[in-house]
Amino acid sequence: MTILHQVEVSLAARSYNISIGAGLLPRAADFFPGGVTGRAVFVLTDENVIRPHADVVAAALKRAGATVHIMAVPPGEASKSMDMLQRVLSWMIDHGVTRQSALFAVGGGVVGDLGGLAASLVMRGIPYLQMPTTLLAQVDSSVGGKTAVNMKQGKNLVGAFYQPAAVICDLDTLATLPRREFLSGYAEIVKYALLGDPEFFDWLERNGAAVCAREPAALAHAVAVSCRAKAAIVAEDERETGNRALLNLGHTFGHALEAAAGYDGRLLHGEAVSIGMAMALDLSREMKLCPAEDARRGAALLTAAELPVSAATIRPSMGDARSIAAWMDSDKKIADGRKTFILLRGIGKAFTCNDVTDAQAVDAIARSLKGD
Ligand SMILES: NC(=O)c1ccc[n+]([C@@H]2O[C@H](COP(=O)([O-])OP(=O)(O)OC[C@H]3O[C@@H](n4cnc5c(N)ncnc54)[C@H](O)[C@@H]3O)[C@@H](O)[C@H]2O)c1
Ligand SMILES: [Zn+2]
């Protein structure tokens, strides 16, 4: 086991560590405060992750003397449902869950969000550990304690803020991740650089290719810097009343694109965010808030990773700018009836802006659809 970086998420009594390294899954038991010996422990995963990774975790927990139960949900967003939540809860109850139990969520953001919510509910809350196996989950969804399932009315509408006992990012797990999924997570890494860390942005300009080639040292650094950025924002604003909104850079546009595409696989979340960030840069430039050169560099960093930066690349097209913009209205992050956009005064200088008119937002989408 090699722990390369450790990041603390400081939340008083609910503080925890994110451990980033290699060979961590076989040592899963070591990360549970108090140890797992004699406990009923639940490993939640999905069918793509059970074989290469979650089995390793289950075996490690057994070796450490836990009674281990493992459940694999079907891969994909559809498993983040009320129905699946109920099945996970029943599974734990049927297998003798007690308040001394723990849940290990081994998988991407779907497993993490579903598992975290189930852990928050069963027996009024048992500890859980996040073992993220996608890049997106390692740098984003596993950190911060937001858990949720989707409703037919929209995504993530039912959930809880419930912090894990630990987050274990084993970079070895990323070796089996499909390239498109990997790059989707890379878009969130670029987001941290763009929103508040110009030095990290410079570093990515030089080392982004090494990160995307999954070179261990570069990848570990990028994951650690990203986790530190998210941890700092979460520590300051656990319940998203202020600065945590900056994490939505690229997401107001991105969510509208995802919704317009009907979550049909045309666009992965990170791809939508990549296009959304390019739109935010373009709108910031158009509103004379951001130097054109910074907007160009932002888009170039995404393009260098072969991420999409314009809605013109989505096939088949999802309709016109106005109909895509209409999806933004149903986004839940609306303050006082006005849409909140995260815009940029330059690289590393994101801010919350409530002054974007509907016409400006529609025009930005229209430019993106034309590939401008
Ligand atoms: N809680 C939060 O703060 C937060 C933040 C961002 C996103 N999210 C949520 O995260 C979810 C998206 O997460 P995601 O992108 O990880 O998606 P995901 O969990 O669906 O995983 C993507 C795909 O990769 C597969 N996979 C996972 N790990 C693998 C591995 N190591 N090797 C091979 N295949 C692997 C999965 O089976 C799945 O098919 C969304 O539901 C989103 O709402 C939550
Ligand atoms: Zn995101």
Side-chain angles (χ1 to χ4, degrees), residues 5-9 16-20 223-225 227-229 231-232:
H5 300 275
Q6 249 178 353
V7 176
E8 200 199 13
V9 186
Y16 55 94
N17 272 320
I18 306 165
S19 302
I20 299 154
V223 171
V225 173
C227 286
R228 213 170 286 134

Side-chain angles (χ1 to χ4, degrees), residues 136 140 188 191 247 251 255 269-270 273:
L136 184 131
D140 190 354
E188 302 280 1
K191 179 186 79 176
L247 294 172
H251 282 64
H255 285 153
H269 174 72
V273 169

Side-chain angles (χ1 to χ4, degrees), residues 67-268:
T67 307
V68 183
H69 305 281
I70 187 161
M71 173 173 175
V73 302
E77 194 64 32
S79 284
K80 254 178 68 172
S81 68
M82 218 51 177
D83 176 50
M84 195 57 78
L85 176 66
Q86 173 137 19
R87 282 198 239 173
V88 173
L89 293 170
S90 290
W91 163 66
M92 287 194 279
I93 293 164
D94 287 344
H95 290 94
V97 66
T98 70
R99 303 204 64 183
Q100 277 65 52
S101 298
L103 183 141
F104 286 67
V106 187
V110 165
V111 166
D113 281 13
L114 174 68
L117 183 56
S120 81
L121 292 170
V122 76
M123 312 306 287
R124 300 196 179 85
I126 62 167
Y128 77 114
L129 289 87
Q130 293 275 18
M131 304 194 102
T133 64
T134 65
L135 185 57
L136 184 131
Q138 295 196 349
V139 300
D140 190 354
S141 62
S142 69
V143 180
K146 278 212 240 169
T147 72
V149 293
N150 304 325
M151 298 290 285
K152 73 173 189 314
Q153 293 90 339
K155 274 196 65 174
N156 297 323
L157 290 180
V158 173
F161 286 96
Y162 192 60
Q163 300 295 341
V167 179
I168 299 113
C169 296
D170 189 336
L171 302 170
D172 292 345
T173 63
L174 302 180
T176 57
L177 193 64
R179 182 166 169 77
R180 221 181 134 199
E181 294 287 353
F182 183 91
L183 292 179
S184 180
Y186 183 73
E188 302 280 1
I189 291 178
V190 172
K191 179 186 79 176
Y192 295 113
L194 270 178
L195 77 83
D197 193 341
E199 273 174 30
F200 184 42
F201 188 93
D202 293 349
W203 186 89
L204 284 173
E205 283 185 325
R206 285 178 273 115
N207 298 285
V211 176
C212 293
R214 308 182 207 193
E215 287 178 18
L219 185 54
H221 179 76
V223 171
V225 173
S226 301
C227 286
R228 213 170 286 134
K230 181 148 186 196
I233 292 177
V234 168
E236 184 187 311
D237 182 16
E238 186 180 5
R239 284 175 177 264
E240 198 168 332
T241 48
N243 260 348
R244 192 162 176 169
L246 297 184
L247 294 172
N248 289 325
L249 175 63
H251 282 64
T252 306
F253 287 123
H255 285 153
L257 292 170
E258 280 186 286
Y263 305 99
D264 64 357
R266 261 179 289 176
L267 264 184
L268 295 181

